[in-house]
Amino acid sequence: MAKIQMTTPLVEMDGDEMTRIIWQMIKDELLEPHIDLKTEYYDLGLEHRNATDDQVTVDSAEATKRLGVAVKCATITPNAARMDEYDLKQMWKSPNGTIRAILDGTVFRTPITVAGIEPCVRNWTKPITIARHAYGDVYKNTEMRVPGPGTVELVYTAADGTETRELVHEFDGPGVAQGMHNLDASIESFARSCFEYALDLGQDIWFATKDTISKKYDHRFKDVFQEIYDAEYAVRFEEAGIEYFYTLIDDAVARVMKADGGFIWACKNYDGDVMSDMVSSAFGSLAMMTSVLVSPQGYYEYEAAHGTVQRHYYKHLKGEETSTNSVATIFAWSGALRKRGELDGLDDLVAFADRLEKATLDTIEAGEMTGDLALITTLPNPTKLSTRDFILAVAKRLEA
C-alpha cells in the first residue's frame, strides 16, 4: 500500500535518554512504514544543546513559528549533577521554558483514559485538563547566592532614569534570593487561550493563584483574567452554558480531589508543572498524559508530559530489559500529525493519527501493557511487555 503523503514538514525536536530511544522506535515501527514522513529535524539532546550554546533550542522554536506544528521529545533540564555528567559549559535553562517563552503559548495537558486503568481518585470519572501558563515565573528567573550579610533589593529603572526600589531582605548571614517576572501581554494571551479552549471543549474553567499572599504578582493574574472574562467572554460563556470559576490555589487543590472531572484547570507556570504530574499520576501513569502548547498566533507543539526516564535509560545502557511506557510519546506524534493533516487538508493523515491512537489503546485494553500499567490495571492477567515489545504490539494492530 502506498504511503500517506505529507505536504508540509513537522518540526521534529529530538531529546534525551530513554525517551530518545523510544522516539526512534516509534518512527521506525509505527510511522515510517505508513507515512512518507517529512520533518525538519532539530537535535535537542543535551550534548548538542551544549555544543551549540543552546542556539538549537531557539532555532527549533523559530522553525515552529514558520511551519506551525512541532513534535518534541522529552529533554533534560540540567542540575549540578548533570553539569558534571555531561561536562556542560553552563547550567542551561529548561528547553521547554525557552520554547514556551518564544511561542508565547499555553500548555494544555489531558490524561489519556483507557479501560482497565481506573483513576485512584475514585470520583474522577472524566479527564481533568491542566492549562499551564507557558511563560515566566521560576522558569525564567534570575538567582543569586548571597554570601553573607547585606541587602537584596528589587530595582526598576524607568526609561527616563528614575528608580523604584523594593527591599527583598536584609541578610544577616548567607542565603539565596531569586527574581521572577511576567508580562501583561503574556498573561492576557494565557487568559484568552484558556477561555477559547474552554469554549471549544464546552467545559467549565477554573483559575487559581495565591493573590492573598502575592498581592501584586499573583493578583495581577487574577485581575487580568477577570477583566478579559468580563469584557470578552461572559456572554459567550453564558450562551454556552459553561462557567469561569476563580479561587485560591490551595482551595482549588482541595476542591479538585472531590470533583468528578470534565473541566479545565488553569494554573500559573509552576503550579501547572506540579499539578499536571499529580493529575496524570492519579489517572494512571505519568506516561499517560497528552501535552500541547498552543499559542495565540496558531502555533502548536506536541510532547509527552513526562521526563526522560533516566533510571530506565541507565538500565538500557547496561543491556538490561526495560518496560517503559511510550503511550504519551506516541500520542505526541499522533497529535502533531493530526494537526498537520487538519491544517493542510490531508484527511488520510488525520485518519492515520486516529488509527494510531486506537491501536495503542486497543493494545492496552487487550491486556498487553508496560510494567507501570500492569501494576495498576483492573484487567485480569495482564501481559507485561518490554519497551520494544509494546511498540511492536501496537504496530501489529495498526497493520491490521
Side-chain angles (χ1 to χ4, degrees), residues 269-313:
N269 209 349
Y270 180 81
D271 295 340
D273 191 3
V274 175
M275 295 307 167
S276 64
D277 280 5
M278 181 198 74
V279 168
S280 63
S281 180
F283 268 95
S285 170
L286 290 174
M288 296 286 286
M289 193 171 215
T290 64
S291 180
V292 55
L293 175 71
V294 182
S295 80
Q297 294 78 22
Y299 315 133
Y300 298 83
E301 183 234 331
Y302 294 80
E303 61 179 325
H306 59 74
T308 58
V309 203
Q310 179 186 16
R311 181 173 59 86
H312 286 200
Y313 180 61

Side-chain angles (χ1 to χ4, degrees), residues 62-79:
E62 294 297 335
T64 304
K65 287 184 175 182
R66 175 167 42 84
L67 296 174
V69 184
V71 58
K72 180 181 174 296
C73 184
T75 47
I76 294 169
T77 299
N79 55 17

Side-chain angles (χ1 to χ4, degrees), residues 14-24 43-47 49 73-77 82 85-86 307-314 316-317 324:
D14 210 345
D16 287 299
E17 297 188 319
M18 197 63 202
T19 45
R20 189 181 181 99
I21 304 300
I22 290 170
W23 193 260
Q24 192 61 50
D43 184 358
L44 267 58
L46 185 53
E47 295 98 331
R49 278 183 276 145
C73 184
T75 47
I76 294 169
T77 299
R82 298 293 201 168
E85 181 181 357
Y86 285 87
T308 58
V309 203
Q310 179 186 16
R311 181 173 59 86
H312 286 200
Y313 180 61
Y314 291 159
H316 171 80
L317 291 179
T324 314

Side-chain angles (χ1 to χ4, degrees), residues 76-272:
I76 294 169
T77 299
N79 55 17
R82 298 293 201 168
M83 285 281 292
D84 295 334
E85 181 181 357
Y86 285 87
D87 191 24
L88 301 180
K89 299 174 186 175
Q90 61 176 272
M91 198 178 298
W92 304 108
K93 296 280 189 178
S94 161
N96 285 349
T98 299
I99 293 166
R100 289 166 189 159
I102 292 172
L103 298 184
D104 184 29
T106 296
V107 179
F108 295 94
R109 291 180 169 173
T110 307
I112 301 165
T113 56
V114 59
I117 308 298
E118 309 303 330
C120 59
V121 180
R122 62 180 180 271
N123 45 281
W124 286 0
T125 58
K126 293 169 284 188
I128 297 168
T129 296
I130 299 291
R132 176 183 171 187
H133 187 211
Y135 180 80
D137 294 350
V138 69
Y139 302 88
K140 295 289 288 184
N141 72 354
T142 299
E143 300 180 325
M144 177 185 295
R145 178 74 172 92
V146 179
T151 302
V152 174
E153 295 179 307
L154 285 176
V155 181
Y156 164 67
T157 305
D160 63 4
T162 59
E163 289 187 351
T164 303
R165 294 175 174 268
E166 294 284 351
L167 175 67
V168 175
H169 189 67
E170 291 278 2
F171 284 83
D172 57 9
V176 290
Q178 71 171 344
M180 302 192 308
H181 78 281
N182 229 292
L183 304 174
D184 278 10
S186 182
I187 301 169
E188 290 164 4
S189 294
F190 175 38
R192 289 191 176 94
S193 294
C194 290
F195 291 139
E196 290 289 346
Y197 202 70
L199 287 167
D200 287 344
L201 297 185
Q203 292 185 348
D204 293 346
I205 183 164
W206 297 10
F207 181 48
T209 70
K210 194 67 174 177
D211 65 279
T212 53
I213 301 300
S214 178
K215 298 181 186 298
K216 294 181 180 178
Y217 193 99
D218 277 25
H219 213 296
R220 187 62 188 144
F221 279 81
K222 177 185 178 182
D223 290 345
V224 168
F225 262 72
Q226 194 64 54
E227 289 163 7
I228 289 177
Y229 176 75
D230 291 341
E232 303 176 27
Y233 290 95
V235 173
R236 296 173 65 188
F237 268 51
E238 184 176 355
E239 291 172 348
I242 59 176
E243 179 186 6
Y244 167 55
F245 171 67
Y246 175 81
T247 189
L248 294 172
I249 185 64
D250 45 340
D251 181 54
V253 171
R255 285 173 179 266
V256 78
M257 299 307 293
K258 297 181 180 180
D260 61 358
F263 58 87
I264 301 163
W265 182 8
C267 297
K268 290 168 58 250
N269 209 349
Y270 180 81
D271 295 340

Side-chain angles (χ1 to χ4, degrees), residues 12-48:
E12 178 187 352
M13 306 174 184
D14 210 345
D16 287 299
E17 297 188 319
M18 197 63 202
T19 45
R20 189 181 181 99
I21 304 300
I22 290 170
W23 193 260
Q24 192 61 50
M25 289 183 188
I26 291 170
K27 290 175 64 178
D28 290 344
E29 305 296 340
L30 301 180
L31 304 181
E32 291 179 340
H34 305 278
I35 305 172
D36 183 17
L37 190 64
K38 289 182 169 61
T39 71
E40 190 168 302
Y41 179 85
Y42 294 85
D43 184 358
L44 267 58
L46 185 53
E47 295 98 331
H48 193 60

